[in-house]
Amino acid sequence: MAGKHSLFGPVDPAADAGYGEDHPPRMGFFTDTSICIGCKACEVACKEWNDVPATHFDMLGSSYDNSLSLNANQWRHVAFIEQAKPLGEQESGLRRQAVDLGMPGMAPPDGASAAHAGQDDDAGRPDFRWLMSSDVCKHCTHAACLDVCPTGSLFRTEFGTVVVQDDICNGCGYCVPACPYGVIERRKGPEGAKNVGIAQKCTLCYDRLGAGSTPACAQACPTQSIQFGDVDELRERADARLAQLHEAGTTDARLYGHDPEDGVGGAGAFFLLLDEPEVYGLPPDPVVTTKDLPHMFNRAGVAALTLLAGAALSFLGRRR
Amino acid sequence: MVPEATFTSYYGRPIVKPSPWEADIPTYLFAGGVAAGSSLIAAGADLTGRPTLRRSGRLGAVAALSVSMVALVHDLGKPSRFLNMLRVAKVTSPMSVGTWILTLYGPFAGAVAATEVVAMLPARWRVGPLRLAAVVDRPAGLLAALFAPPVAAYTAVLLADTATPSWHAAYRELPFVFVGSAAAASAGLGLVTSPVGETGPARRFAVGGAALELVMEHRMERSMGITAEPLHRGTAGRWMRAAKALTVAGAAGSLLAGRSRAVAVVSGTALLAGSVCTRFGIFEAGQESAKDPRYTVVPQRERLAAGMPVRSGPAAPRTSHPAT
Ligand code: SF4
Ligand code: SF4
């Protein structure tokens, strides 16, 4: 708690938390979803390295997403969205030779749609794309989870990331509703797993960072959709990639969470998306709840005084 | 009514997570309010010579405080986890602030309840250190009353300082709803436990508290936009309707409660029940608002559509992508 930006606005989170001049640069992820192939190597690598128990595995019937959401037992989550939209506007030169693979359609296989299949012209080419995106804790510059934690269990590391100390967390659960992205959660099970009842989320592989290596998910990603590095440098890389995509005609590409002026002061883990954030299950304009905390305490203070005055007035009235 | 807003989501799944809290927490909110209001009533009764109202206020406060502590510890799992919070003081965490408020308030509320019990003992038993009770009595009661209002008010910040749409959007008015509810409920307890000759101030406190609660709840809903919807739907809607009916009935009854003890008891009970319903209703509405992505996406989309994303620095909103 120092400096005028402590609750909101751009800031170096590690310095704001009291680390000296010599703290390492802020580390984070840039997840470029345009090259994600949905292989879930990140999910698996994360579970393996961090010993995250497997709980959810249900056939959810929502494309290939069977891991549900980010939660206590899912620190990377790959979202799959099937859309009846063309695959960007890049001219591959292969269009004429495209072979219809019999992609499952949205309509029953009646004669009319079957007649189009395999046709050579553009009109008959099925408009279809998959969006895949590996979501993760944003390691917010202003992290609501950390702000509201009453035990100091959640803390800011020297790398500017946000980490739970399992042995200090008392399981109060306050961080859970505080996170504007629904990331952190109290571990409910399975029976016998470690840290049941304790808040759990991505640590940005704090242990690996300390040893100078790359987080497990980024290491495992075969397409470099997940890029790990110095946040300032990643922001430049993201801008360059965005310009490249726009130039190539993919006008719906956009960055998400990269802006230090945004509602959480910029995320340490940000994204390049190909559609609106909510399509991927991300809030379109998230804000750290503690931005309004001074105002909230003010209102509560006035309310408390109102109560005191009300009680006094009640006794000052007629005596009977 | 506002037309149903259209919005996009990921398979209709929630974005924010509902709190993992259960009935313990609204119980804690209610009991904390009763405790705070009762300490205020007890101090007033002490200063104006109303012994029964004073006694019921002091004992009621400590009983309600015990209920709220049991609820809190049950929620946390074990008592040592409460103590964990006393190792830090953190102003950005309303739960930490609340823990310290309770730590200031609790001992005085407890002490003054103890002196009240000592005063009830036969005179020949009040020997040795017990004679101190008479000295400590009033100062402890006044200090409990001084620390009581924050106990009633901070719980609103506790809920509002989250990403839970229907709690956060209520942050301006919620503290007033909660202190109103605390006043009405604690006055209700006074009406139930004390003879009509002593309850004049409690009746005024009841009517004032109920009016504050109802008026501010109305204003709150008007300022919440779409996130007011969960307050009218399903279980939360039933709690809120019951809260309104009971609070109105209890307040109306307390206007007449100066004449009949029976009316006082019924009105007081209605006010207590109304406060329970208010706490559960607001709690439930928040939980529901977190489970439906509509309440997260629509308000954020609305401010984006209005060209007013939340940004720090000079107002000029930066758009990194073409508006669609
Ligand atoms: S995304 Fe949520 S859990 Fe992660 S740092 Fe931000 S507030 Fe905390
Ligand atoms: S559950 Fe643990 S990490 Fe989360 S706010 Fe409570 S003490 Fe902090």
Side-chain angles (χ1 to χ4, degrees), chain A residues 136-293:
Chain A
V136 70
C137 167
K138 316 300 176 287
H139 295 277
C140 310
T141 300
H142 298 290
C145 62
L146 189 160
D147 283 346
V148 305
C149 174
T151 61
S153 160
L154 275 156
F155 80 113
R156 181 76 60 182
T157 73
E158 65 275 31
F159 302 104
T161 56
V162 179
V163 175
V164 185
Q165 302 171 82
D166 304 328
D167 50 344
I168 295 182
C169 171
N170 71 350
C172 74
Y174 201 7
C175 50
V176 178
C179 171
Y181 305 92
V183 170
I184 195 166
E185 193 190 32
R186 211 155 70 170
R187 181 169 284 163
K188 297 193 262 277
E191 199 75 34
K194 65 172 184 181
N195 295 335
V196 170
I198 300 298
Q200 299 283 282
K201 73 168 190 73
C202 163
T203 67
L204 216 129
C205 284
Y206 188 39
D207 49 352
R208 295 173 66 100
L209 256 58
S213 43
T214 301
C217 55
Q219 183 91 47
C221 178
T223 64
Q224 295 190 345
S225 170
I226 301 175
Q227 300 172 29
F228 163 77
D230 176 336
V231 169
D232 288 334
E233 201 248 300
L234 288 177
R235 282 185 180 141
E236 284 165 26
R237 234 191 273 176
D239 284 334
R241 174 66 180 154
L242 182 70
Q244 187 187 29
L245 281 172
H246 281 176
E247 205 162 307
T250 308
T251 49
D252 47 7
R254 76 218 47 208
L255 298 180
Y256 178 79
H258 67 302
D259 181 359
E261 304 272 338
D262 75 12
V264 300
F270 53 94
F271 301 81
L272 184 145
L273 304 177
L274 295 176
D275 205 333
E276 300 291 2
E278 57 266 42
V279 168
Y280 298 86
L282 295 164
D285 188 34
V287 183
V288 56
T289 179
T290 33
K291 167 180 177 286
D292 298 319
L293 188 59

Side-chain angles (χ1 to χ4, degrees), chain B residues 151-218:
Chain B
V151 173
Y154 100 85
T155 49
V157 185
L158 184 74
L159 295 192
D161 191 27
T162 58
T164 298
S166 298
W167 293 343
H168 187 86
Y171 81 81
R172 291 173 194 81
E173 298 86 6
L174 198 57
F176 295 91
V177 175
F178 275 14
V179 300
S181 183
S186 56
L189 183 64
L191 289 183
V192 172
T193 52
S194 306
V196 288
E198 290 189 21
T199 56
R203 296 197 298 273
R204 288 189 285 275
F205 201 38
V207 175
L212 182 68
E213 178 187 338
L214 293 168
V215 168
M216 293 310 280
E217 207 278 331
H218 183 71

